[in-house]
Amino acid sequence: MMDRTITLIRHGKTSGNREKRYVGITDEALSSEGELEIKTRAYPKADIVFSSPMMRCLQTAKIIYPDMEPIVITDLRETDFGRFEGKNYLELSGDKEYQSWIESNGEAPFPGGESRSQASSRAMKGFEKLLAQSQDYENISVVAHGGTIMAILSNIFGGDYYSYHVENGEGYTFDLSHDGLYSGLCTRPFNR
């Protein structure tokens, strides 16, 4: 097993992201603005690329790594927001279930969807799968979702889930030593 550098990249912007909607299981494409933002950034080279199965992630991976076929890991998909899916906070204001979800600091399950702990443990299963498949690669890139990235990083590095929030097209890089130690976490805007 070798030392590895892992880059987590949040997919480019969709129209739902621009409207601050809860976009989880909706298979939304990148907006033209989202595509352009990805094209104007500089991402690190990768020896292997993993992606969530969602169209927005696969499109992002194809723009960044046009010569590589991303390996899809289903467990890296975004949280199922249940009844809140496709809505934004303005449309949900005054909704009793939404208010109690906010008051739980996002810990309560989404009505008809997943809880943060369910989505986090699923994301970690996906992360373990990609680690098992990338043992012989030095530079690993993963295109996933904001919630997936927050889940993975808060599980590995500790601290608050929301402190790892990342904007579309941005991400984090960290190292994994051959003996299983994580280090060197840094935020990456990927600006040229």
Side-chain angles (χ1 to χ4, degrees):
M1 210 144 52
M2 57 171 46
D3 290 353
R4 294 177 270 180
T5 298
I6 300 170
T7 301
L8 302 178
I9 302 165
R10 185 177 174 200
H11 62 80
K13 204 172 273 164
T14 67
S15 57
N17 294 142
R18 192 180 52 249
E19 296 162 7
K20 306 234 181 290
R21 297 185 181 284
Y22 288 94
V23 180
I25 57 171
T26 305
D27 204 9
E28 224 179 33
L30 294 180
S31 63
S32 48
E33 174 196 2
E35 280 186 44
L36 192 63
E37 277 179 355
I38 297 297
K39 287 175 182 164
T40 59
R41 294 195 160 135
Y43 294 91
K45 76 180 186 74
D47 303 316
I48 188 169
V49 178
F50 294 92
S51 177
S52 151
M54 306 308 277
M55 189 177 4
R56 55 195 182 269
C57 293
L58 290 167
Q59 287 177 311
T60 301
K62 276 291 181 209
I63 294 169
I64 301 171
Y65 304 106
D67 301 329
M68 301 183 81
E69 191 56 47
I71 297 167
V72 172
I73 297 193
T74 308
D75 284 335
L76 295 176
R77 70 190 183 281
E78 182 59 283
T79 307
D80 179 348
F81 295 119
R83 203 170 66 69
F84 302 159
E85 182 75 29
K87 296 185 171 76
N88 64 26
Y89 62 95
L90 290 171
E91 294 163 343
L92 290 164
S93 69
D95 182 307
K96 283 189 183 67
E97 285 184 304
Y98 185 64
Q99 198 51 51
S100 59
W101 178 79
I102 296 282
E103 287 164 8
S104 79
N105 191 30
E107 299 273 353
F110 289 96
E114 290 178 294
S115 69
R116 185 198 308 166
S117 64
Q118 287 170 323
S120 288
S121 72
R122 175 176 49 71
M124 285 311 290
K125 272 192 216 127
F127 186 68
E128 295 298 329
K129 286 177 192 164
L130 79 83
L131 288 181
Q133 292 180 51
S134 64
Q135 290 181 6
D136 303 329
Y137 297 90
E138 193 177 348
N139 298 298
I140 299 150
S141 285
V142 184
V143 181
H145 307 270
T148 309
I149 292 170
M150 292 188 291
I152 291 169
L153 294 178
S154 59
N155 269 283
I156 292 174
F157 292 101
D160 183 61
Y161 176 84
Y162 292 108
S163 64
Y164 299 102
H165 173 77
V166 61
E167 296 298 328
N168 293 102
E170 297 183 359
Y172 290 88
T173 299
F174 57 96
D175 296 315
L176 172 55
S177 68
H178 61 280
D179 51 5
L181 296 176
Y182 292 100
S183 66
L185 179 68
C186 60
T187 59
R188 299 289 301 271
F190 303 114
N191 293 330
R192 289 195 188 278

